[in-house]
Amino acid sequence: MRYRHKNGITLRKIGRDDLGLLLRLKEESWFGTHRVAILNETDQASWFESVTKSSTDLFLMAEGGDHNSRLGLFKVAGIDWMNRSAHVAWDVFSEHRGQGYGKKVVEAGTDLCFEIQNLHRLDLEILLPNEASHKCALYAGYYPYGKRKAAIYKCGQYVDSWCLGLLAEEWNLLGRVETLRNQSPSGTCNLNYTWG
């Protein structure tokens, strides 16, 4: 299944042919992540095998733009199906940063979590120096909950981690969702979905 969002982003489950690109992404974005993993191609293949079998983690490749290229990754981790909650995160490949794709990837991934996965609560954390991701989260409707002081150690210093979240009832009131419900025959952000 591919989730085609009204903002032009398509999300699909990662495949084996994405592994090289994802390894490069890990190498170029480690500074902004909470966990640093030192990986090689063998580790990457093992990781892929484990996440494709997981019922609590979902890694989605974001595609779009002028040439429908791979733009980044949206991650849904630690899905708690009983309480309908999960942690989310995202990355944009370096050549696509600063072009507004981060906001679109977060918006599409968030909408998928509520529309398709029927989740009730999404949580995320962003390292304090990462202003771009913080702006993307706020744009997509996430609310700041606070921060964890000196939470992560990076290259000789401890950095704070912003904590943000979004509930399904808050998401339903977002302008992009409420307007669509009033204007679209299907009332969803998912362009694949048609009723009737």
Side-chain angles (χ1 to χ4, degrees):
M1 178 195 118
R2 290 178 183 261
Y3 177 84
R4 291 185 321 119
H5 194 272
K6 65 177 184 161
N7 70 8
I9 297 295
T10 296
L11 298 172
R12 63 164 173 83
K13 192 172 180 180
I14 60 167
R16 194 171 297 282
D17 61 330
D18 296 317
L19 292 183
L21 192 57
L22 293 175
L23 184 58
R24 190 192 84 195
L25 176 65
K26 192 66 160 167
E27 292 169 352
E28 72 188 21
S29 63
W30 68 269
F31 62 89
T33 61
H34 284 72
R35 292 178 191 87
V36 176
I38 299 171
L39 303 173
N40 59 25
E41 290 169 358
T42 303
D43 297 330
Q44 189 78 343
S46 296
W47 168 82
F48 176 74
E49 293 301 325
S50 70
V51 298
T52 55
K53 295 174 185 169
S54 174
S55 63
T56 60
D57 298 311
L58 181 61
F59 289 79
L60 300 165
M61 183 61 65
E63 298 173 328
D66 296 337
H67 304 288
N68 202 30
S69 55
R70 294 179 287 186
L71 303 171
L73 187 66
F74 189 83
K75 302 170 264 192
V76 187
I79 301 170
D80 177 344
W81 293 110
M82 177 70 74
N83 296 303
R84 297 174 40 220
S85 64
H87 267 78
V88 297
W90 58 89
D91 292 294
V92 174
F93 298 120
S94 60
E95 64 270 22
H96 298 297
R97 291 182 190 148
Q99 300 172 44
Y101 290 124
K103 291 178 178 178
K104 290 182 173 189
V105 168
V106 179
E107 186 179 61
T110 299
D111 295 351
L112 175 140
C113 286
F114 289 119
E115 283 185 347
I116 303 298
Q117 293 185 297
N118 194 30
L119 293 176
H120 178 257
R121 178 190 177 103
L122 300 178
D123 293 302
L124 64 96
E125 286 193 43
I126 299 169
L127 295 183
L128 190 57
N130 193 344
E131 280 288 331
S133 283
H134 191 245
K135 287 178 183 175
C136 290
L138 295 174
Y139 175 84
Y142 288 85
Y143 291 93
Y145 290 161
K147 68 179 157 182
R148 295 188 314 131
K149 294 181 114 4
I152 303 296
Y153 184 78
K154 292 279 181 183
C155 295
Q157 65 180 356
Y158 283 94
V159 296
D160 297 344
S161 183
W162 280 309
C163 300
L164 299 97
L166 184 61
L167 299 175
E169 54 264 27
E170 296 166 338
W171 171 78
N172 268 309
L173 297 175
L174 293 175
R176 73 174 187 269
V177 177
E178 197 171 40
T179 300
L180 193 64
R181 286 206 176 15
N182 296 330
Q183 293 176 351
S184 168
S186 69
T188 70
C189 299
N190 182 2
L191 294 181
N192 291 342
Y193 181 76
T194 55
W195 184 259

